[in-house]
Amino acid sequence: MEFVKGENRFFKEDTNGKLIAEVTWVPSGDSLVILDHTFVDESLRGQGIASELVEKVAETMRAEGKKIAPTCPFAKAEFDRKPEKYDDVKA
């Protein structure tokens, strides 16, 4: 799925402009972001979209040389389940 990059978020809207997927983060200083929210519409759940959103944030922060503090319950669980994928960016 292709996501749009907004200010401190990645998101996807349906053809009517309804938000159907989103991940947000809050900058904290120059080298840290707090991943605070992940949302996927019920119609899309179970397809791995939330995991894709978390991965997009991780890719972006790697490229920017920043660490991530996951406070969103889903993102925190994702980081804990896949340490090999996220330990390099986890604060």
Side-chain angles (χ1 to χ4, degrees):
M1 179 174 283
E2 293 293 319
F3 301 106
V4 176
K5 186 173 193 273
E7 187 170 338
N8 301 325
R9 73 182 189 142
F10 285 104
F11 67 98
K12 177 76 174 176
E13 295 176 340
D14 68 11
T15 54
N16 297 318
K18 177 186 171 198
L19 184 67
I20 56 173
E22 177 183 52
V23 65
T24 63
W25 63 89
V26 178
S28 180
D30 293 334
S31 60
L32 178 71
V33 299
I34 299 165
L35 199 164
D36 65 343
H37 173 71
T38 306
F39 162 76
V40 176
D41 188 79
E42 281 187 30
S43 66
L44 299 173
R45 291 199 181 145
Q47 299 179 36
I49 293 170
S51 295
E52 288 181 47
L53 286 164
V54 170
E55 179 60 26
K56 287 292 285 183
V57 176
E59 289 171 4
T60 301
M61 295 310 133
R62 277 187 195 103
E64 294 180 11
K66 296 180 180 179
K67 296 286 184 176
I68 300 168
T71 60
C72 160
F74 177 83
K76 186 173 180 352
E78 190 78 352
F79 272 54
D80 291 344
R81 274 193 303 267
K82 301 174 182 174
E84 71 286 350
K85 201 171 196 180
Y86 297 114
D87 272 357
D88 65 319
V89 292
K90 186 175 181 180

